Amino acid sequence: MNEQGQLAGQDATEPPGPLHGVRVLDLGTITAGAATSCVFADFGADVVKVESFAHIDPFRAWNQVSSSTGNDDYDLSPPFHTVNRGKRSVGMNLKTAEGRSLLLDLVRSSDVVVENFRRGVLERLRLTYEDLCEANPAIVLLSLTSQGIQGPESRYASFGSTLDALGGLMSVTGYDANTPRWSGNNVNYPDQLVSFLAPGVVLAALRQAESTGSGTWIDFSQREAVTFSLGEQVMAGSVSGVDPVPLGNRAEDFIQGVYPTAHSEKWVALSIPNDDTSWAKLARVVGINPSESTLASPELRWNAHDQIDQGIARWTSWLEPPAVVRALAEAGIAAARVTNAVEVLEDEQLGALGFFREVDTPLGTFRQRGFSARLSGTPGNIRRHAPNLGEHTSEVLKERLAIDDETIKDLVVSGVLNEGPQLASAAPIK
C-alpha cells in the first residue's frame, strides 16, 4: 500500500470504495466464485486471486471472443477480464506444505475466502473451514457449491446447463412442454444469479463476525438458488399438483411478444396487461378493431393470441424498429427494440448512466460493463484491469506477510510460488 492507502497500480484519484479495508481471498474459478469476488473489488475491497499454475482457471483459456487460438494466450480471454477486474493475482501451489502454510498466513489477515471448488477439494488440500478458523477464528468462508455441502448428490459436478435442468428452470423456459431450453453458455444464468446474491450474504456474515468475533461458513447452493427464483411455480405446484407449461414469449394476464420489423433480422418486443384499457391502446396503434367480438374480453383475447400476434406483426413489419418503439411509447405501451451486444455498447441511456468504462490494460484499451447499481457517494468503479497470472505474487507476499525478495525467489525456484509469464509480445485486444 502507498501512503494514501492505495493499492499499487490503482488510480490515486479514485475515491476509496465503501468496502475499502475489506480483504478477500479469491479461490474461485470460471464465473460463480470469480464474479462474486469481483463485486467486492468494484466497491473497493482488496481481492487477491490465488491461482494454481498446474490447473489454470479455465476462463483464462476462453479466447473465442478475442479470436485467439493459442493455449498460451490465456490472458486474452474477455470472459476472464470481465469477472476478474480489480483483483491481484498470486501464483501459489496449494498442494505443497509451504503453499498451504502461506495461504493460511494470508487467511490470518483476511476477512473473506471465496471458493467454488467441487466438493472434496478443500478437504484434500486440508483447507477446510475448520483449518481456516484455526488460522483466523473470524474468517468468513463462502462456498459456492453446485448441490450444497450435504445430501446424496452433494459431490456431483455441474455446469449452468445441468443446474438449469436440476433447479427447474428448464421446465418454464421452453416454447412448449416438449422442448425445454436452458439459458445458454453465453448467459449461464445459475452462475450469474449467485454472483449477485452471494455478496449480500457475505456482508451479513461480516457484520456478524464483527459483532461476535466468530466466523461463518456460508453454504450457497447454486441448485437451490435456481429453484429459489421459481418461487411462484413451486407454490402453484404445491397447491394444484399441476406442472407448469412453458409459454415461450407469452405470459398469462398479458398480451406480449417479439415481432419482426421492416429491417431484416431486427425485432421489437412489447407487453401490455390483458385488460380492456390497455388492449384498446394497443389495438388503436396497430390497426385492430378493439371492439371485435372475438377479442372483447381478456379470456377471448388470450384464446386468440395467435390472431393478435399476426395483426401486430402485419403493422410492425412495415416500420423500422425506432418508429415502432416510438409509436408504442407515445401510446403508453411498454416496448423496446431487441438489441445485440454491439448495439448495447452504444446505447444512449446506458451511456447517460455511465455503465460502461474504458479500461487500460497491457493488451490495449477496451470497454467493460460496470456494476448495475451505484452508491451516491462512492459509486463503485473498475479500479484495475484483470491481473496476469501470478502478476502480484511478490507484491502481495511482501505487503501482507513481510517476506523478503530472497525468500520469494527461493519459493519460486522450488515451485511453491510463480510470478507469471511476461506478456510484452501479446497482441492488443481490438
Side-chain angles (χ1 to χ4, degrees), residues 313-368:
R314 280 194 296 270
W315 175 72
T316 60
S317 295
W318 285 96
L319 301 171
E320 294 288 326
V324 174
V325 173
R326 184 167 54 252
L328 292 170
E330 289 174 353
I333 297 167
R337 59 195 175 96
V338 179
T339 58
N340 57 36
V342 174
E343 292 169 328
V344 165
L345 282 169
E346 304 303 326
D347 185 86
E348 183 178 357
Q349 176 61 24
L350 292 177
L353 293 170
F355 179 70
F356 294 107
R357 302 295 177 93
E358 298 290 333
V359 181
D360 293 325
T361 82
L363 305 171
T365 300
F366 57 98
R367 193 178 298 180
Q368 286 197 28

Side-chain angles (χ1 to χ4, degrees), residues 163-187:
L163 288 167
D164 275 11
L166 283 171
L169 185 63
M170 277 192 188
S171 71
V172 296
T173 53
Y175 286 90
D176 57 62
N178 300 316
T179 55
R181 295 173 180 266
W182 71 52
S183 57
N185 289 341
N186 290 330
V187 176

Side-chain angles (χ1 to χ4, degrees), residues 142-160:
L142 171 65
S143 291
L144 291 159
T145 62
S146 166
Q147 316 292 334
I149 62 174
Q150 61 188 18
E153 299 177 5
S154 61
R155 292 183 179 266
Y156 283 13
S158 68
F159 291 96

Side-chain angles (χ1 to χ4, degrees), residues 257-325:
V258 181
Y259 305 95
T261 69
H263 192 297
S264 176
E265 298 184 2
K266 297 294 183 181
W267 301 72
V268 294
L270 68 85
S271 180
I272 63 165
N274 188 8
D275 60 61
D276 293 342
T277 301
S278 300
W279 164 244
K281 291 180 181 178
L282 176 61
R284 281 194 292 269
V285 173
V286 302
I288 299 175
N289 179 6
S291 302
E292 186 175 331
S293 59
T294 58
L295 306 174
S297 71
E299 182 179 4
L300 289 172
R301 288 192 290 271
W302 176 253
N303 292 334
H305 209 309
D306 286 345
Q307 175 188 341
I308 293 173
D309 281 345
Q310 292 168 7
I312 296 172
R314 280 194 296 270
W315 175 72
T316 60
S317 295
W318 285 96
L319 301 171
E320 294 288 326
V324 174
V325 173

Side-chain angles (χ1 to χ4, degrees), residues 30 56-82 84 186 363 366 386-388 423 426-430:
I30 311 183
I56 294 173
D57 185 340
F59 250 19
R60 283 194 179 271
W62 284 29
N63 296 328
Q64 71 275 22
V65 181
S66 64
S67 300
S68 176
T69 57
N71 291 331
D72 58 338
D73 291 335
Y74 45 76
D75 287 301
L76 295 176
S77 166
F80 183 86
H81 278 266
T82 299
N84 288 287
N186 290 330
L363 305 171
F366 57 98
N388 298 336
L423 295 179
I429 294 177
K430 299 296 185 182

Side-chain angles (χ1 to χ4, degrees), residues 378-426:
T378 51
N381 202 352
I382 302 174
R383 298 167 186 274
R384 60 165 71 226
H385 59 76
N388 298 336
L389 190 58
E391 179 181 350
H392 306 96
T393 300
S394 293
E395 176 183 300
V396 171
L397 295 186
K398 290 178 185 178
E399 172 194 307
R400 297 276 292 271
L401 305 182
I403 297 179
D404 58 70
D405 287 327
E406 193 63 31
T407 301
I408 290 174
K409 181 180 178 180
D410 290 342
L411 290 169
V412 170
V413 171
S414 65
V416 175
L417 299 176
N418 197 306
E419 296 186 276
Q422 301 300 313
L423 295 179
S425 62

